[in-house]
């Protein structure tokens, strides 16, 4: 599968089979995350992998009761130990973690797994459930597991609507 084929196959999976993910697959997935670029090569991402059923239920409730999360083989709680801004003013944590999570999402596709980006959650509740220190940012949640649904077609803008050359022409 080419990278573009993998990207085209990726979708936001919101239904999972209740099946454990093999340790070998998780190792490959987190190797992909480890290789992600980061600002100043800080490698500031940290991941808490939740596989315990009761803990997944608690996190699902803390994610606005998105109970499909509890069926995933695991929930990745993506964190950062960095609160710095890049020179351009953007937060390092959110960008670095997002890059690493997209590496995870694409690697998951190649391994026959599905993922979904979850930004609708209450960080303080997740922090309490997982004992995450207050100085660590909880950036995103990502369920990962064997899909129990089929990809839905979503509309995408044409390239001409999102790209221009040399100067702003929108």
């Amino acid at each position: 599968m080419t990278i573009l084929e993998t990207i085209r196959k990726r979708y936001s999976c919101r239904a999972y089979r209740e099946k454990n993910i093999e340790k070998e697959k998780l190792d490959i997935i987190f190797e992909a995350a480890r290789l992600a670029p980061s600002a100043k090569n800080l490698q500031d991402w940290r991941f808490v992998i939740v596989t315990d059923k009761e803990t997944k239920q608690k996190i699902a409730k803390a994610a606005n009761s998105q109970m499909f999360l509890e069926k995933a083989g695991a929930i990745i709680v993506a964190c950062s130990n960095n609160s710095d801004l890049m020179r351009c003013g953007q937060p390092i944590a959110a960008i670095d973690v997002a890059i690493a999570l997209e590496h995870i999402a694409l690697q998951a596709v190649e391994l026959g797994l599905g993922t979904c980006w979850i930004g609708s959650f209450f960080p303080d509740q997740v922090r309490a459930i997982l004992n995450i220190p207050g100085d660590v940012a909880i950036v995103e949640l990502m369920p990962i597991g064997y899909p129990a649904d089929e990809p839905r077609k979503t509309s995408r803008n044409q390239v001409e609507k999102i790209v221009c050359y040399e100067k702003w022409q929108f």
Side-chain angles (χ1 to χ4, degrees):
M1 187 176 332
T2 68
I3 291 172
L4 191 55
E5 289 168 337
T6 302
I7 291 168
R8 285 183 174 138
K9 193 173 177 183
R10 193 216 65 81
Y11 72 103
S12 295
C13 181
R14 290 186 173 86
Y16 297 91
R17 296 184 356 227
E18 290 190 66
K19 180 179 176 182
N20 293 334
I21 302 168
E22 298 84 351
K23 174 80 165 73
E24 300 78 29
K25 287 187 177 183
L26 289 173
D27 289 345
I28 293 168
I29 285 163
F30 288 102
E31 176 66 6
R34 186 185 73 81
L35 295 172
S38 63
K40 303 179 194 175
N41 197 30
L42 291 173
Q43 303 173 52
D44 56 314
W45 47 75
R46 300 293 182 268
F47 304 101
V48 179
I49 315 314
V50 179
T51 59
D52 177 74
K53 187 173 180 67
E54 288 180 26
T55 307
K56 287 190 297 184
Q57 287 174 343
K58 290 176 186 175
I59 292 174
K61 288 178 185 168
N64 284 325
S65 294
Q66 296 180 78
M67 300 313 291
F68 75 91
L69 296 172
E70 70 181 318
K71 304 282 189 203
I75 299 172
I76 300 168
V77 180
C79 304
S80 176
N81 59 9
N82 189 314
S83 60
D84 294 342
L85 297 178
M86 289 187 270
R87 191 175 322 276
C88 64
Q90 298 301 315
I92 288 174
I95 293 172
D96 285 357
V97 169
I99 295 167
L101 281 174
E102 191 59 10
H103 277 211
I104 288 170
L106 294 176
Q107 183 61 65
V109 169
E110 187 178 56
L111 296 172
L113 300 167
T115 61
C116 187
W117 288 77
I118 304 293
S120 181
F121 65 94
F122 297 99
D124 289 342
Q125 292 178 24
V126 174
R127 183 179 312 286
I129 294 164
L130 300 177
N131 199 32
I132 296 171
D135 62 340
V136 172
I138 304 171
V139 178
E140 196 78 14
L141 306 179
M142 182 174 277
I144 184 168
Y146 289 93
D149 63 359
E150 294 293 324
R152 296 179 318 222
K153 285 285 186 190
T154 56
S155 64
R156 309 305 300 172
N157 286 332
Q158 295 296 314
V159 171
E160 297 78 22
K161 286 193 167 198
I162 64 169
V163 175
C164 62
Y165 289 89
E166 309 308 337
K167 62 182 178 180
W168 186 268
Q169 299 175 32
F170 298 107

